[in-house]
Amino acid sequence: MIRPNREKRQNRTLRSSIINGIVLLIIIGSLLLLIISLPIWQIKHLKITGLKNLTAPEVKQAARVPYGDNLLLLRPSTLSGRLEKMPLVERTIIHRGFPDTVHIEIIERLPFALVMADDGNSYVIDRDGRVLGASLPHIADIPAVSGIAAKYIKQNILDGNMARSMAAIFKAFARHISPKKMTFDIKTPDDISLLVDDIVAVRFGNFSDLDKKIRIVEALLNRSKVKWTKIEYIDVRFPYDPVIKIRH
C-alpha cells in the first residue's frame, strides 16, 4: 500500500509542475505581448544614407515605410525588395534603430557612360549596361557613346558584349586621358571609333581582337611620346598593320 501512495504523490507533483510551467509561460508570453504592443515601438522616423543620384523623397516613396506599425515586427526584406526594383539601386542595408526609427542605407549603381541612341533617346548606363535613367545629376565625368542602334537596348539593358567591350576600352584609355573627354562613335558594328576631345579618332573597326587592339594603341602612344593634340588619328582596324597619323 505504501508504493501506490508514493506514486500518487509523484503524479500530483508532476501535474503541479506542468501546470506551474504552463502558467509561467502564459505570464511571460503576456508580458512579452504587452511590451511589444507598447506605443514606444511605433515607427515614427526614417533615416536614409548613401544617396548620390537618388533623392530622399524618391526612396521614401518607393520604400513605403509603414509609419505607426510596430518596429519589432518590421520585415526589412520587404523594404529591400521594393527599393531594389529601382534602376539606380544595386542593394540596400536596412536595420532597426530602437525605439522608433528605420535606417535605410542605399548602395547605388554607378553611372558609367551616357549612351545616345540612333532613335534620339539618351540613356545613362552602368558598367553592366543596365539603364539607370535618361539623365542624372552627377554624370559630368563619364564618357559618351553616340550612334548605338536602339535595337541593342532591350528591357533597359544594353547588349552585354557591347557594354563589356566599351568598359574594356574606357578602362584602358583612362590611364591616358580623362573619361569625360572620351566619346564612342558607333556608326555601324563594323565602324567603331573612340573620339578624344572630338579631335582625335581611334578607329577600331569592330570589337573583334579588342584586347590586341587596345595593347597596340597603348604601345603606339608610349612609343611615340606624342601628345593627344598632335595626333590626327590612330587606326587599328587591322591589328597587324596599325597606323598613327601625326598632325603637321
Side-chain angles (χ1 to χ4, degrees):
M1 298 297 295
I2 296 176
R3 183 173 298 173
N5 290 335
R6 180 181 300 171
E7 289 178 354
K8 288 181 181 179
R9 288 196 298 272
Q10 289 176 344
N11 289 337
R12 285 197 297 270
T13 301
L14 179 60
R15 285 196 296 272
S16 177
S17 298
I18 292 174
I19 291 171
N20 289 339
I22 293 173
V23 171
L24 181 60
L25 288 175
I26 292 173
I27 292 173
I28 293 173
S30 299
L31 287 173
L32 288 175
L33 184 60
L34 177 63
I35 292 172
I36 290 174
S37 62
L38 289 174
I40 191 175
W41 306 118
Q42 291 180 353
I43 298 173
K44 298 176 183 175
H45 304 290
L46 172 63
K47 291 186 177 180
I48 303 171
T49 58
L51 300 183
K52 295 177 181 177
N53 286 291
L54 283 170
T55 65
E58 288 173 329
V59 173
K60 186 176 180 179
Q61 181 179 5
R64 302 200 304 274
V65 173
Y67 290 99
D69 283 9
N70 195 300
L71 181 67
L72 300 173
L73 303 180
L74 177 73
R75 297 182 63 183
S77 60
T78 299
L79 301 186
S80 292
R82 293 169 184 165
L83 291 168
E84 289 172 12
K85 291 179 181 178
M86 303 178 75
L88 268 167
V89 176
E90 182 174 355
R91 61 188 178 91
T92 58
I93 300 172
I94 299 175
H95 62 273
R96 302 174 182 87
F98 295 108
D100 58 5
T101 303
V102 176
H103 292 265
I104 298 178
E105 181 181 355
I106 301 289
I107 293 86
E108 292 188 8
R109 298 182 187 278
L110 299 177
F112 171 68
L114 175 62
V115 173
M116 292 164 281
D118 63 357
D119 61 359
N121 291 317
S122 296
Y123 308 90
V124 179
I125 63 169
D126 70 359
R127 187 173 293 275
D128 297 321
R130 186 182 299 272
V131 174
L132 306 182
S135 180
L136 297 175
H138 306 295
I139 58 170
D141 294 329
I142 64 175
V145 182
S146 65
I148 285 185
K151 66 180 181 180
Y152 289 112
I153 302 174
K154 298 179 180 178
Q155 298 181 337
N156 285 328
I157 298 179
L158 177 66
D159 175 77
N161 182 57
M162 189 171 289
R164 286 188 295 272
S165 298
M166 289 191 303
I169 292 176
F170 288 149
K171 181 179 178 180
F173 281 86
R175 293 192 287 267
H176 303 280
I177 193 164
S178 171
K180 66 182 178 181
K181 295 183 178 182
M182 302 183 201
T183 302
F184 250 124
D185 184 28
I186 304 179
K187 295 183 177 67
T188 70
D190 291 315
D191 188 4
I192 298 167
S193 299
L194 177 67
L195 304 179
V196 179
D197 275 343
D198 292 326
I199 300 175
V200 182
V202 182
R203 300 170 182 171
F204 287 97
N206 54 41
F207 285 137
S208 63
D209 294 324
L210 182 60
D211 290 339
K212 180 186 293 185
K213 291 176 181 178
I214 290 174
R215 289 196 300 271
I216 290 172
V217 172
E218 289 192 294
L220 289 172
L221 291 173
N222 293 332
R223 188 182 307 165
S224 64
K225 303 297 182 181
V226 177
K227 294 182 179 180
W228 279 105
T229 53
K230 299 294 184 180
I231 299 174
E232 184 171 339
Y233 66 82
I234 299 174
D235 193 333
V236 288
R237 290 175 296 175
F238 307 100
Y240 53 84
D241 188 21
V243 175
I244 179 169
K245 184 175 182 181
I246 309 300
R247 295 180 186 277
H248 298 292

